[in-house]
Amino acid sequence: MEKIKESGTATRKISKAIIYIVCISLALLSILPFWIMFVNATRSTPEIQSGISLLPSTHMMSNLRVLLDKSFDPLQGFMNSLIISSSATICTVYFSSLAAYGLVTYSWKLQKPFFTFILCVMMVPSQASAIGFYQFMYKLHWTNSFWPLILPAIAAPAVVFFMRQYLLATLSIEIVEASRVDGSGEFFTFNRIILPLMMPAVATQAIFAFVANWNNLFMPLILLTQKEKYTMPIMVSLLRGDIYKMEFGSIYMGLALTALPLFVVYFLLSRYIIAGVALGGVKE
Amino acid sequence: MRRKGVNYSKYGYIFTFPFVLAFLIFSLYPILYTAVIGFTDMQGLIPKPIHILDDPFANFKQLIFENPSFRKSLINTGWLWIVNFVPQILLALLLTAWFTNRRLNIKGQGIFKVLLYMPNIITASTIAVLFSTLFAYPMGPVNSLFQTLGWTDGPIFFLQDKTTARGIVAFIQFWMWYGNTMIILIAGVMGINPALFESAAIDGANGFQTFFRITLPSLRTILLFTLITSMIGGLTMFDIPQLFLAGGPDDSTLTTSMFIYGQAFKGSYMYNRAAAASMIMFLIAGVLSACVFYLMRDRDAGRLKKAEKKNRKAAQAATVQGGATYGKN
């Protein structure tokens, strides 16, 4: 009996060691490409050509200078991305919460059909309508404007769905009724009482909406042709062009600059992001 | 305190109005417009009056029967999706089994989750350009790593070879998404009734048995959901292949989204053909969405039915055995 137990713990120890080795290797696989990116951003091109290194060097400023000399303006791209992403995020979370609240609180004739409709259009990819969207915006003279990247965010079916599930689980109709008795209007009730109650869900969805908008390449690439309107992901595509052909140090620098804001956001908010991913998948 | 005079139902319409309006203008109209363009002769940079073609389906026929590039893009998209999804779901399941096994009690799960999910949050464009730089020829980090480890004698031109290039694109997709899938699956396991695991442990089930007999069947809906969302995501794959090699070498990493983009916005201005391709993509996505819709709607109804059946069975058993089985379910 004793022996069986011992061999059991031994095999468990071995399998645990294997598991840790696999997990640590995977974690290294996640880190390594980015590590090389940040390290190579500080190395000169000859150094990069001569081999791999995991320790930073001293050429950060010269790489940055080469990068900025060639009409790569990360600050402009950062500001454009920031304007588009934050405006689109606000539109998404506010109007989705509003629609979800309308869907949950009031009983109206089209309540059920509206929810069915949300489920139907949740998965429609934006690429499918891109040609018509572009032609439409072209006729409105809205290419090279930020509006077509911001206003469509008002209709985010998946977010409405998520908010509805959240409200169904948390909202008690007594709160709404109590505020009605106090004489508050419906919009006031929503803005001042319900929206603060929904903050956990709003924050989660805001993070994901922001990141999705920030990383979006397809739509901005189609719509924005003027250099001063470029967003971060389009600026990244410039790094692949001929102007940086052999300047590896500055290519890595450009990549590092575009990734840096996301790393900062991720490590500040990682706990909420992971929780949000988990929540989004369960969808109960 | 009943005030029946006030009818609040109009607020349902008012509160959902912005959503509906934005949807009609920015989603529905463009989709219908795209569909119409697919039947027309809209081409060229300078707008001119457009006409419905004599054979309205000419663009579609051309794409499906005569356009090897489009066919190739569909096959590539499917290939890239399968080669990234199968290992992704397998690894995610394996990690889920390890992380949720209480007997193993893996430490540091929080940090592992944070690190394995990390590539998912970084801009795909940045990752695509980063990988194409890492695999640079003749001297890139991967080449020097391989030579340092003695795996190769000379530098390898990875991005010249079709299979390698495709494999790397699929690997990037896999690497970006398995953490996401894993977190969703772990959350799914956490949602399973713990009593099931306890009774399995009492009955002496080992880790394998518990995983295959309890965890996996309970995860069925979530697995299906992951499958379908991943299929739709894979169908619209654009950023990585576009910025990794712009479709090359020899169109081996050309996806459907890139085909649409290339037809309309890269000099040839074939809006009608691009629109027809979009519609084909839309139809495929529509079929997949229908599956999601069916899945999500049917779940509650199915569960209700099952519970009813169970109750009926329990009632029957109770009457037959005189309450001997009472309390077991």
Side-chain angles (χ1 to χ4, degrees):
Chain A
M1 193 66 197
E2 197 72 348
K3 221 176 186 175
I4 293 169
K5 220 179 193 177
E6 228 165 61
S7 76
T9 50
T11 46
R12 188 170 302 160
K13 256 185 197 156
I14 293 169
S15 57
K16 258 181 111 164
I18 294 172
I19 290 169
Y20 279 115
I21 289 170
V22 171
C23 289
I24 290 169
S25 323
L26 287 172
L28 284 178
L29 192 65
S30 286
I31 298 169
L32 204 61
F34 299 121
W35 187 272
I36 292 175
M37 174 178 81
F38 283 117
V39 166
N40 280 356
T42 69
R43 299 169 79 207
S44 69
T45 302
E47 276 176 334
I48 293 168
Q49 297 265 336
S50 71
I52 203 167
S53 161
L54 296 178
L55 296 172
S57 178
T58 53
H59 297 271
M60 191 167 102
M61 292 323 282
S62 63
N63 283 341
L64 194 61
R65 216 168 313 119
V66 174
L67 178 75
L68 298 183
D69 271 353
K70 299 192 176 172
S71 75
F72 186 87
D73 193 349
L75 212 62
Q76 181 77 53
F78 181 84
M79 285 315 290
N80 291 341
S81 279
L82 194 67
I83 294 168
I84 294 172
S85 308
S86 34
S87 319
T89 304
I90 292 168
C91 285
T92 296
V93 292
Y94 183 77
F95 290 107
S96 302
S97 312
L98 190 69
Y101 179 70
L103 192 59
V104 170
T105 319
Y106 307 104
S107 57
W108 36 299
K109 217 187 256 163
L110 296 177
Q111 193 178 15
K112 274 234 169 74
F114 182 73
F115 181 61
T116 313
F117 159 75
I118 296 251
L119 282 181
C120 285
V121 297
M122 219 158 75
M123 298 290 169
V124 175
S126 64
Q127 270 97 330
S129 61
I131 304 297
F133 188 74
Y134 173 79
Q135 289 294 336
F136 181 33
M137 291 304 131
Y138 188 81
K139 280 185 186 138
L140 291 177
H141 300 289
W142 263 10
T143 53
N144 283 314
S145 152
F146 290 165
W147 290 117
L149 297 169
I150 296 171
L151 292 179
I154 294 172
V159 183
V160 176
F161 178 80
F162 180 89
M163 294 296 188
R164 174 190 175 267
Q165 304 304 92
Y166 184 82
L167 276 177
L168 280 181
T170 52
L171 180 74
S172 71
I173 205 77
E174 281 84 22
I175 300 173
V176 183
E177 271 162 7
S179 93
R180 272 178 198 157
V181 171
D182 290 345
S184 112
E186 295 301 303
F187 273 99
F188 187 87
T189 307
F190 174 75
N191 287 326
R192 290 303 168 81
I193 296 165
I194 307 302
L195 207 53
L197 284 177
M198 290 174 78
M199 263 312 150
V202 168
T204 311
Q205 290 303 308
I207 295 171
F208 286 106
F210 188 87
V211 170
N213 278 298
W214 183 278
N215 290 344
N216 188 11
L217 173 69
F218 192 77
M219 276 300 167
L221 195 60
I222 288 176
L223 291 163
L224 307 174
T225 51
Q226 289 166 5
K227 237 180 175 154
E228 60 272 21
K229 297 283 170 62
Y230 279 2
T231 60
M232 275 306 211
I234 307 182
M235 308 221 49
V236 172
S237 69
L238 293 179
L239 294 171
R240 259 193 69 81
D242 282 333
I243 46 170
Y244 294 103
K245 192 125 196 127
M246 274 334 216
E247 295 287 351
F248 282 116
S250 39
I251 292 177
Y252 283 112
M253 191 65 189
L255 291 173
L257 284 178
T258 57
L260 196 62
L262 283 168
F263 275 105
V264 172
V265 169
Y266 185 55
F267 285 111
L268 288 177
L269 301 175
S270 61
R271 190 191 305 170
Y272 304 97
I273 293 175
I274 301 288
V277 176
L279 221 60
V282 179
K283 288 213 162 117
E284 285 275 0
Chain B
M1 276 308 289
R2 258 197 218 158
R3 290 185 297 173
K4 268 195 173 163
V6 189
N7 183 7
Y8 289 105
S9 67
K10 69 169 187 219
Y11 285 100
Y13 296 98
I14 295 173
F15 280 16
T16 48
F17 180 69
F19 176 96
V20 173
L21 188 68
F23 181 84
L24 292 179
I25 296 174
F26 295 112
S27 292
L28 189 66
Y29 176 67
I31 286 180
L32 297 178
Y33 195 17
T34 309
V36 172
I37 293 172
F39 296 114
T40 65
D41 59 355
M42 187 191 256
Q43 281 176 5
L45 183 59
I46 302 116
K48 53 184 184 227
I50 55 167
H51 311 279
I52 303 281
L53 295 171
D54 297 333
D55 174 8
F57 289 97
N59 291 322
F60 294 89
K61 281 180 191 154
Q62 200 277 337
L63 280 174
I64 295 169
F65 298 113
E66 291 158 34
N67 197 322
S69 193
F70 179 69
R71 216 176 306 151
K72 199 167 196 180
S73 79
L74 275 181
I75 295 169
N76 284 342
T77 310
W79 192 94
L80 286 172
W81 178 76
I82 291 172
V83 172
N84 106 72
F85 186 73
V86 173
Q88 177 191 325
I89 198 81
L90 290 178
L91 182 62
L93 274 174
L94 183 69
L95 291 171
T96 304
W98 286 346
F99 283 0
T100 55
N101 190 330
R102 263 183 246 153
R103 258 184 276 173
L104 285 171
N105 191 21
I106 303 295
K107 300 272 182 340
Q109 286 193 25
I111 189 80
F112 281 133
K113 278 187 199 169
V114 167
L115 289 177
L116 301 192
Y117 180 72
M118 188 169 68
N120 196 255
I121 208 116
I122 304 302
T123 315
S125 326
T126 302
I127 286 175
V129 178
L130 174 62
F131 271 80
S132 79
T133 319
L134 292 178
F135 283 97
Y137 173 86
M139 277 313 286
V142 176
N143 259 322
S144 46
L145 183 73
F146 276 24
Q147 281 174 43
T148 320
L149 293 173
W151 289 352
T152 56
D153 299 328
I156 306 170
F157 204 159
F158 293 102
L159 306 184
Q160 188 83 302
D161 183 63
K162 287 188 206 174
T163 320
T164 318
R166 256 193 222 157
I168 296 171
V169 172
F171 170 77
I172 299 173
Q173 289 282 345
F174 156 81
W175 177 73
M176 282 183 77
W177 285 96
Y178 78 92
N180 182 73
T181 311
M182 173 193 81
I183 291 169
I184 290 174
L185 293 182
I186 290 176
V189 174
M190 295 304 185
I192 300 172
N193 187 353
L196 279 174
F197 291 111
E198 272 162 36
S199 51
I202 290 167
D203 291 345
N206 63 24
F208 284 100
Q209 286 167 328
T210 316
F211 185 75
F212 283 104
R213 298 287 171 80
I214 294 176
T215 314
L216 219 46
S218 314
L219 283 180
R220 219 188 54 203
T221 324
I222 288 181
L223 282 174
L224 271 171
F225 182 79
T226 313
L227 174 81
I228 292 160
T229 46
S230 162
M231 279 172 112
I232 292 172
L235 188 68
T236 57
M237 198 185 301
F238 178 76
D239 302 17
I240 297 277
Q242 173 71 29
L243 289 187
F244 184 61
L245 285 171
D250 194 19
D251 279 357
S252 60
T253 56
L254 181 84
T255 64
T256 314
S257 283
M258 291 167 69
F259 178 85
I260 295 170
Y261 174 75
Q263 291 291 315
F265 302 106
K266 265 166 69 182
S268 48
Y269 307 105
M270 306 276 266
Y271 294 115
N272 55 352
R273 194 179 292 167
S278 306
M279 277 301 112
I280 295 173
M281 180 198 249
F282 177 75
L283 286 180
I284 301 173
V287 172
L288 297 174
S289 310
C291 300
V292 173
F293 176 64
Y294 180 76
L295 186 76
M296 309 270 273
R297 192 201 52 168
D298 206 41
R299 192 147 46 132
D300 291 336
R303 193 182 292 155
L304 215 67
K305 227 185 230 164
K306 238 185 225 165
E308 225 169 63
K309 218 180 195 175
K310 214 188 220 169
N311 280 347
R312 218 181 303 132
K313 252 190 197 159
Q316 257 173 13
T319 46
V320 171
Q321 300 188 3
T325 53
Y326 187 76
K328 209 182 176 185
N329 267 328

